[in-house]
C-alpha cells in the first residue's frame, strides 16, 4: 500500500532569537518512522544547500507550497533533544496554538535569568527525643506560644522540616529559631547531598495501603506505562477518595525508572499538609514553586531541577515549565480549576500545554478532580482520555454530609428577613453550643457590591473602567480591576443629593450580621481584602484550624482543599449568585463551588451538614450539587451546551480587539468582521457579536469581542491564522491590539 507523502515544518538552528519562521521539508519514506515532532534532523538550507540542523515542530500531509519545490530531509540526528531545545519547541507550539508572539511565549516558558546567589537548602532538625518534644510542646501550650506550638507539633510529626517549604506556611521566622538553637532544642542543617528519605522516616510504617479502587486506578496507568504506552488519564474521584495517594504511587513508579514528575496544584490548595505529604514520602527530592517566590528564588529552584537535584516539582500553572531532562509524568490536580488558564498572552491552558509537553517527553498525563471540567469528562467519555474512578471516601469513618436546600423566597414569604434561614440559624446555634466549627461561604467580597445614590439612582463608577466601585468599610471605594481608590463622596457627583448608600451584601456585611446574630461567637473573615498582606492567608487558616474562631466567613478561597476536621457545618449564603455571571460556564462553576464547599463538612468522624440557601432551588446546578451527583449535572449541562452551541459540544474562537481610541476600535472591528465574513463565506461559521467585552472599558482601554463558532477546531485554527495575517497587513489595525482565545 502506498503511504501518503508527509511534510515536516522545521525550525532551523534553534536559538531563542531566530525561531519565528519554519521551513517545510518532505520526509523521505525511509525516514517516516523516525521523524517525529521534536526530532532533530539535517536539512539542506539556503541557496547553496548547506547542511543545517533543524527541529521538527509539526508534521502534515498538506504541503504549504508547490510540492516539487519542497526539499527533502537528509537524515535524523541521533541523541536526545536538550531540555532547552525542548522548551523552545514548546514555546513555538504555544505561539502557534494561542496566537501570541514568540517573545511572549518564550518569556512564559523560559525563566528569566537572575543573579541572586543560590540559597542553600536548609533543614530544621530536632535534637530532642519525642518525649522531650512532647514536654516542650506542653510548656508552649501553657504559655500559648502559637508559632512554637506549631513548630513542635510539626517536628513531632516529621522529625525534621524542610526550611523553605515549611517556614512560611507555619509562620516561623529566623528570630524565633535562634533561641531554640542556642538552647540546643534544634539545629538548622545545610544540606549539600540529598538524604535518603526511607531511612529517616521509616517510610513503610507510615505508608497507607491503597484500597481496591485506588489500586485499580494506579495499576491502569502503571501497566500502560510499563508497556511503553503513554496516555492522558482522568482520575475522577470524590473529595477525600484518596487521589493524592494514587498520584504518589504513580510518581514513585516513574521515579524508580529514573524519570521526573511535575505536579500542578492550584496555589490556594497548596497547603502545608499537602506539601508535607509529598515531603514525607519523597524527602528533599521534592521542591515547590509559587507566585510568592522572588524571580531569583524561582530561578534557583528551576536550576536545581535542571541540574538533577530534585525529581518532583509541585506548583501552580507555571511549574509546567520545570526543565526536567527526563520527565516521565505530569499530574494536574483539581484540573477543573479556572486558574489553569492564563489570563495574559499566551492565553494557554495548562491541560493542553501539559499534553504537548508530555508528548515531547514521552510522558503520561494524569488529570484529577472531584468535579471534572465539562471538557475533560467529555473527552473521557469519548475515549480521548482514559477514565479512572474513585467512588468512595478513603477513610472508612468519614461520610458525606447531609445537604439541606433552603428556598430564600419562602423564608421571606414567611417573614424571615435575616440573611440566615431558620434552618441555618438553628444548626449554627447547635454547633456553637457543641464547640464545633462553622464555615459560611459567600461568593462576593467587599461590604457591599456598590454604592448608589438613592435620589438619582446612579452607581459610583470607576473613571477608568466600565465597572462600579466597591464599597469598603474603611470608607473607601475601590475598583477591583485597576485599583483606583477614592473616599466615599458626601454628595452625589451627579445630582448633589446627600443620600448615598451602600447596596447589596458581601462578606464584610455578612461578618457584621453574623456578629450581631451570634454575639458570643468568634468570627474570622477570609477574602481578597483580609489576605492582601503576605502570609495573611496562612495566618487566618492557621488561626481557624487552631480553634481561634468558631466561624470562618469567606469567598471561594475557603472552599478549596483545606481540611478542618472540626468543621461540621457549611452554610452557603446565596448559592445562585454565581449563576448569573455573563459566561456560559457559570452553571459549571456554581456546581463546582457548591460541591467543593459541601465537601468541607464532615471530613472526619463528626457528622456534617450543609445548608444551601438559594432563590433558584430548581436549577439543575443546585439540585445536582445538593445530591452530589456529578453525572446528573454533566448530562443536563451538556444538553444545554449542545443546544446553545458552546464547548465542549462546539468550538469557540474569541477575538478581542482593544484600543485607547474608541472610534478607531469600532472601525477596526467593523472592517475585520467584514473581511473574515468574506473569506469564510463558504464555511459554516457562526458569528456572535461583535459585542462589548465585559467590562467594556478597562484601564482607559476599550475592548470589543467577536466570537466565531464551529464544530471543527481545525477550521477555527485556520480562521485565526487568517486573522493574524490580516492583523499584520492593515493600516487600520496599527493602534489596535489583538488577542485570541481558542
Ligand atoms: P483526595 O486527594 O481525593 O481529596 P486524599 O488523598 O487527600 O484524597 O485522601 C483523603 C484522606 O484519606 C487523607 O487523609 C488520606 O491520608 C486518607 N487516605 C487516602 N487513601 C487511604 C487509604 N488507602 N487508606 C487509608 N487512608 C487513606
Ligand atoms: Zn444622585
Ligand atoms: Zn478601574
Amino acid at each position: 500500500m502506498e503511504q501518503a507523502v508527509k511534510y515536516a515544518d522545521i525550525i532551523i538552528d534553534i536559538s531563542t532569537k531566530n525561531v519565528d519562521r519554519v521551513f517545510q521539508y518532505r520526509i523521505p519514506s525511509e525516514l517516516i518512522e523516525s521523524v517525529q515532532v521534536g526530532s532533530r534532523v539535517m536539512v539542506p538550507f539556503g541557496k547553496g544547500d548547506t547542511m543545517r540542523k533543524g527541529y521538527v515542530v509539526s508534521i502534515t500531509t498538506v504541503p504549504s507550497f508547490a510540492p516539487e519545490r519542497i526539499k527533502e530531509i537528509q537524515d535524523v540526528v541521533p541523541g536526545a533533544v536538550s531540555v532547552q531545545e525542548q522548551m523552545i519547541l514548546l514555546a513555538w507550539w504555544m505561539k502557534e496554538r494561542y496566537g501570541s508572539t514568540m517573545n511572549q511565549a518564550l518569556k512564559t516558558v523560559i525563566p528569566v535569568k537572575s543573579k541572586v546567589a543560590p540559597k542553600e537548602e536548609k533543614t530544621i532538625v530536632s535534637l530532642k527525643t519525642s518525649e522531650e518534644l512532647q514536654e516542650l510542646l506542653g510548656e508552649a501550650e501553657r504559655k500559648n506560644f502559637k508559632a512554637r506550638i506549631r513548630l513542635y507539633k510539626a517536628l513531632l510529626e516529621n522529625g525534621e522540616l524542610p526550611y523553605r517549604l515549611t517556614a512560611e506556611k507555619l509562620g516561623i521566622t529566623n528570630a524565633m529559631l535562634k533561641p531554640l538553637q542556642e538552647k540546643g532544642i534544634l539545629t538548622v542543617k545545610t544540606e549539600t547531598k540529598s538524604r535518603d528519605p526511607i531511612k529517616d522516616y521509616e517510610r513503610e510504617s507510615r505508608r497507607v495501603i491503597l484500597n481496591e479502587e485506588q489500586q485499580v486506578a494506579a495499576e491502569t496507568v502503571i501497566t500502560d506505562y510499563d508497556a511503553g504506552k503513554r496516555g492522558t488519564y482522568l482520575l475522577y474521584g470524590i473529595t477525600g477518595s484518596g487521589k493524592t495517594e494514587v498520584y504518589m504511587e504513580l510518581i514513585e513508579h516513574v521515579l524508580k525508572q529514573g524519570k521526573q514528575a511535575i505536579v500542578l496544584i492550584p496555589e490556594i490548595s497548596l497547603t502545608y499538609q499537602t506539601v508535607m505529604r509529598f515531603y514525607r514520602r519523597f524527602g528533599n527530592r521534592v521542591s515547590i514553586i509559587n507566585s510568592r517566590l522572588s524571580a531569583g528564588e524561582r530561578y534557583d529552584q528551576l536550576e536545581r531541577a535542571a541540574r538533577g537535584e530534585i525529581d518532583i516539582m509541585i506548583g501552580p500553572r507555571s511549574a509546567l515549565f520545570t526543565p526536567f531532562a527526563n520527565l516521565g509524568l505530569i499530574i494536574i490536580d483539581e484540573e477543573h480549576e479556572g486558574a489553569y488558564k492564563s489570563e495574559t498572552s499566551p492565553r494557554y491552558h495548562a491541560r493542553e500545554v501539559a499534553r504537548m509537553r508530555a508528548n515531547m517527553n514521552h510522558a503520561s498525563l494524569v488529570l484529577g478532580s472531584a468535579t471534572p471540567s465539562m471538557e475533560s469528562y467529555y473527552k473521557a467519555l469519548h475515549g480521548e482520555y482514559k477514565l479512572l474512578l474513585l467512588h468512595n471516601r478513603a477513610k472508612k469513618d468519614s461520610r458525606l454530609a447531609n445537604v439541606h436546600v433552603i428556598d430564600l423566597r419562602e423564608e421571606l414569604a414567611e417573614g424571615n428577613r435575616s440573611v440566615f434561614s431558620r434552618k441555618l440559624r438553628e444548626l449554627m446555634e447547635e454547633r456553637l453550643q457543641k464547640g464545633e466549627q462553622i464555615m459560611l461561604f459567600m461568593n462576593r467580597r467587599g461590604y457591599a457590591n456598590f454604592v448608589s445614590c438613592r435620589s438619582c439612582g446612579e452607581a459610583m463608577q470607576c473613571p477608568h473602567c466600565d465597572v462600579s466601585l466597591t464599597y469598603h468599610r474603611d470608607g473607601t471605594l475601590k475598583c477591583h480591576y485597576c485599583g483606583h481608590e477614592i473616599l466615599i463622596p458626601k454628595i452625589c457627583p451627579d445630582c448633589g443629593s446627600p443620600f448615598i448608600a451602600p447596596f447589596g451584601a458581601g462578606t464584610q456585611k455578612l461578618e457584621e450580621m453574623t456578629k450581631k446574630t451570634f454575639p458570643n461567637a468568634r468570627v474570622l473573615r477570609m477574602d481578597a481584602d483580609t489576605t492582601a498582606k503576605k502570609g495573611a492567608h496562612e495566618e487566618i487558616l492557621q488561626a481557624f484550624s487552631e480553634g481561634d474562631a468558631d466561624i470562618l466567613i469567606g469567598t471561594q478561597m475557603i472552599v478549596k482543599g483545606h481540611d478542618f476536621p472540626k468543621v461540621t457545618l457549611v452554610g452557603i449564603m446565596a448559592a445562585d449568585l454565581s449563576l448569573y455571571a455573563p459566561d456560559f460556564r457559570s452553571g459549571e462553576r456554581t456546581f463546582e463551588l457548591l460541591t467543593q464547599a459541601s465537601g468541607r463538612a464532615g471530613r472526619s468522624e463528626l457528622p456534617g451538614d450543609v445548608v444551601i440557601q438559594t432563590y433558584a432551588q430548581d436549577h439543575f446546578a443546585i439540585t445536582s450539587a445538593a445530591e452530589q451527583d456529578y453525572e446528573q449535572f454533566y448530562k443536563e449541562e451538556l444538553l444545554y451546551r449542545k443546544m446553545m452551541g458552546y464547548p465542549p459540544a462546539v468550538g469557540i474562537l474569541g477575538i478581542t480587539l482593544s484600543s485607547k481610541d474608541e472610534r478607531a476600535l469600532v472601525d477596526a472591528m467593523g472592517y475585520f468582521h467584514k473581511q473574515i465574513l468574506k473569506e469564510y463565506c463558504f464555511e459554516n461559521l457562526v458569528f456572535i457579536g461583535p459585542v462589548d467585552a465585559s467590562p467594556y472599558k478597562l484601564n482607559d482601554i476599550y475592548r470589543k469581542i467577536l466570537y466565531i463558532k464551529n464544530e471543527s477546531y481545525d477550521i477555527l485554527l485556520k480562521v485565526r491564522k487568517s486573522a493574524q495575517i490580516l492583523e499584520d497587513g492593515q493600516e487600520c489595525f496599527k493602534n489596535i491590539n489583538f488577542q485570541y482565545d481558542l
Side-chain angles (χ1 to χ4, degrees), residues 452-458 460 491-500:
S452 62
C453 168
R454 296 245 167 104
S455 305
C456 76
E458 282 299 313
M460 303 298 136
I491 56 165
C492 170
D494 282 305
C495 74
S497 154
F499 300 108
I500 288 187

mmCIF file of all heavy atoms in Angstrom, residues 452-458 460 491-500, ligand 2:
data_model
loop_
_atom_site.group_PDB
_atom_site.id
_atom_site.type_symbol
_atom_site.label_atom_id
_atom_site.label_comp_id
_atom_site.label_asym_id
_atom_site.label_seq_id
_atom_site.Cartn_x
_atom_site.Cartn_y
_atom_site.Cartn_z
ATOM 1 N N SER A 452 -24.710 53.524 45.606
ATOM 2 C CA SER A 452 -25.525 54.264 44.651
ATOM 3 C C SER A 452 -26.227 55.416 45.334
ATOM 4 O O SER A 452 -26.332 55.478 46.556
ATOM 5 C CB SER A 452 -26.542 53.340 43.996
ATOM 6 O OG SER A 452 -27.408 52.828 44.977
ATOM 7 N N CYS A 453 -26.703 56.330 44.534
ATOM 8 C CA CYS A 453 -27.422 57.497 45.024
ATOM 9 C C CYS A 453 -28.903 57.149 45.099
ATOM 10 O O CYS A 453 -29.484 56.693 44.115
ATOM 11 C CB CYS A 453 -27.193 58.673 44.083
ATOM 12 S SG CYS A 453 -28.290 60.050 44.415
ATOM 13 N N ARG A 454 -29.486 57.336 46.268
ATOM 14 C CA ARG A 454 -30.897 56.980 46.432
ATOM 15 C C ARG A 454 -31.804 57.942 45.682
ATOM 16 O O ARG A 454 -32.952 57.633 45.411
ATOM 17 C CB ARG A 454 -31.268 57.022 47.923
ATOM 18 C CG ARG A 454 -30.515 56.006 48.726
ATOM 19 C CD ARG A 454 -31.435 54.954 49.307
ATOM 20 N NE ARG A 454 -30.629 53.845 49.790
ATOM 21 C CZ ARG A 454 -30.375 53.620 51.070
ATOM 22 N NH1 ARG A 454 -30.871 54.422 51.996
ATOM 23 N NH2 ARG A 454 -29.637 52.602 51.417
ATOM 24 N N SER A 455 -31.287 59.132 45.379
ATOM 25 C CA SER A 455 -32.122 60.119 44.695
ATOM 26 C C SER A 455 -32.144 59.901 43.185
ATOM 27 O O SER A 455 -33.200 59.812 42.578
ATOM 28 C CB SER A 455 -31.640 61.536 44.991
ATOM 29 O OG SER A 455 -31.600 61.731 46.390
ATOM 30 N N CYS A 456 -30.949 59.825 42.571
ATOM 31 C CA CYS A 456 -30.929 59.693 41.109
ATOM 32 C C CYS A 456 -30.636 58.274 40.640
ATOM 33 O O CYS A 456 -30.736 57.978 39.451
ATOM 34 C CB CYS A 456 -29.950 60.683 40.485
ATOM 35 S SG CYS A 456 -28.216 60.224 40.651
ATOM 36 N N GLY A 457 -30.244 57.418 41.564
ATOM 37 C CA GLY A 457 -30.050 56.010 41.203
ATOM 38 C C GLY A 457 -28.709 55.692 40.569
ATOM 39 O O GLY A 457 -28.439 54.552 40.223
ATOM 40 N N GLU A 458 -27.851 56.716 40.409
ATOM 41 C CA GLU A 458 -26.541 56.454 39.800
ATOM 42 C C GLU A 458 -25.657 55.641 40.743
ATOM 43 O O GLU A 458 -25.575 55.928 41.932
ATOM 44 C CB GLU A 458 -25.822 57.777 39.497
ATOM 45 C CG GLU A 458 -26.299 58.502 38.265
ATOM 46 C CD GLU A 458 -26.109 57.703 36.990
ATOM 47 O OE1 GLU A 458 -25.009 57.152 36.795
ATOM 48 O OE2 GLU A 458 -27.073 57.621 36.206
ATOM 49 N N MET A 460 -21.769 54.592 41.767
ATOM 50 C CA MET A 460 -20.459 55.221 41.621
ATOM 51 C C MET A 460 -19.582 54.346 40.733
ATOM 52 O O MET A 460 -19.368 53.173 41.033
ATOM 53 C CB MET A 460 -19.774 55.400 42.983
ATOM 54 C CG MET A 460 -20.578 56.202 43.991
ATOM 55 S SD MET A 460 -20.879 57.889 43.436
ATOM 56 C CE MET A 460 -22.605 58.049 43.885
ATOM 57 N N ILE A 491 -21.629 63.914 48.800
ATOM 58 C CA ILE A 491 -22.816 64.156 47.991
ATOM 59 C C ILE A 491 -22.652 63.502 46.626
ATOM 60 O O ILE A 491 -21.533 63.255 46.179
ATOM 61 C CB ILE A 491 -23.088 65.676 47.799
ATOM 62 C CG1 ILE A 491 -21.833 66.327 47.194
ATOM 63 C CG2 ILE A 491 -23.486 66.351 49.101
ATOM 64 C CD1 ILE A 491 -22.096 67.702 46.639
ATOM 65 N N CYS A 492 -23.777 63.213 45.994
ATOM 66 C CA CYS A 492 -23.734 62.545 44.701
ATOM 67 C C CYS A 492 -23.090 63.447 43.662
ATOM 68 O O CYS A 492 -23.518 64.571 43.476
ATOM 69 C CB CYS A 492 -25.146 62.171 44.261
ATOM 70 S SG CYS A 492 -25.218 61.593 42.561
ATOM 71 N N PRO A 493 -22.045 62.964 42.972
ATOM 72 C CA PRO A 493 -21.399 63.804 41.964
ATOM 73 C C PRO A 493 -22.322 64.110 40.785
ATOM 74 O O PRO A 493 -22.079 65.051 40.036
ATOM 75 C CB PRO A 493 -20.199 62.967 41.504
ATOM 76 C CG PRO A 493 -20.351 61.617 42.100
ATOM 77 C CD PRO A 493 -21.397 61.671 43.154
ATOM 78 N N ASP A 494 -23.398 63.367 40.623
ATOM 79 C CA ASP A 494 -24.301 63.625 39.510
ATOM 80 C C ASP A 494 -25.411 64.613 39.843
ATOM 81 O O ASP A 494 -25.705 65.505 39.064
ATOM 82 C CB ASP A 494 -24.925 62.313 39.024
ATOM 83 C CG ASP A 494 -23.955 61.532 38.169
ATOM 84 O OD1 ASP A 494 -23.468 62.119 37.181
ATOM 85 O OD2 ASP A 494 -23.651 60.367 38.503
ATOM 86 N N CYS A 495 -26.055 64.480 41.024
ATOM 87 C CA CYS A 495 -27.212 65.320 41.303
ATOM 88 C C CYS A 495 -27.084 66.117 42.590
ATOM 89 O O CYS A 495 -27.952 66.915 42.920
ATOM 90 C CB CYS A 495 -28.497 64.489 41.348
ATOM 91 S SG CYS A 495 -28.645 63.492 42.857
ATOM 92 N N GLY A 496 -25.987 65.880 43.329
ATOM 93 C CA GLY A 496 -25.781 66.674 44.531
ATOM 94 C C GLY A 496 -26.559 66.195 45.748
ATOM 95 O O GLY A 496 -26.458 66.777 46.828
ATOM 96 N N SER A 497 -27.291 65.137 45.612
ATOM 97 C CA SER A 497 -28.055 64.620 46.753
ATOM 98 C C SER A 497 -27.115 64.037 47.821
ATOM 99 O O SER A 497 -26.109 63.429 47.496
ATOM 100 C CB SER A 497 -29.016 63.540 46.258
ATOM 101 O OG SER A 497 -29.307 62.652 47.312
ATOM 102 N N PRO A 498 -27.421 64.235 49.098
ATOM 103 C CA PRO A 498 -26.575 63.666 50.142
ATOM 104 C C PRO A 498 -26.908 62.195 50.447
ATOM 105 O O PRO A 498 -26.221 61.563 51.242
ATOM 106 C CB PRO A 498 -26.902 64.547 51.357
ATOM 107 C CG PRO A 498 -28.296 65.015 51.123
ATOM 108 C CD PRO A 498 -28.500 65.078 49.637
ATOM 109 N N PHE A 499 -27.954 61.650 49.846
ATOM 110 C CA PHE A 499 -28.363 60.283 50.198
ATOM 111 C C PHE A 499 -27.645 59.239 49.357
ATOM 112 O O PHE A 499 -28.165 58.708 48.381
ATOM 113 C CB PHE A 499 -29.885 60.138 50.068
ATOM 114 C CG PHE A 499 -30.620 61.078 50.961
ATOM 115 C CD1 PHE A 499 -31.294 62.179 50.443
ATOM 116 C CD2 PHE A 499 -30.614 60.897 52.342
ATOM 117 C CE1 PHE A 499 -31.960 63.054 51.273
ATOM 118 C CE2 PHE A 499 -31.277 61.776 53.172
ATOM 119 C CZ PHE A 499 -31.954 62.869 52.646
ATOM 120 N N ILE A 500 -26.397 58.993 49.786
ATOM 121 C CA ILE A 500 -25.602 57.992 49.088
ATOM 122 C C ILE A 500 -25.452 56.809 50.028
ATOM 123 O O ILE A 500 -25.144 56.994 51.193
ATOM 124 C CB ILE A 500 -24.210 58.560 48.761
ATOM 125 C CG1 ILE A 500 -24.355 59.595 47.658
ATOM 126 C CG2 ILE A 500 -23.261 57.471 48.360
ATOM 127 C CD1 ILE A 500 -23.043 60.089 47.137
HETATM 128 ZN ZN1 LIG B 2 -27.565 61.407 42.591
#
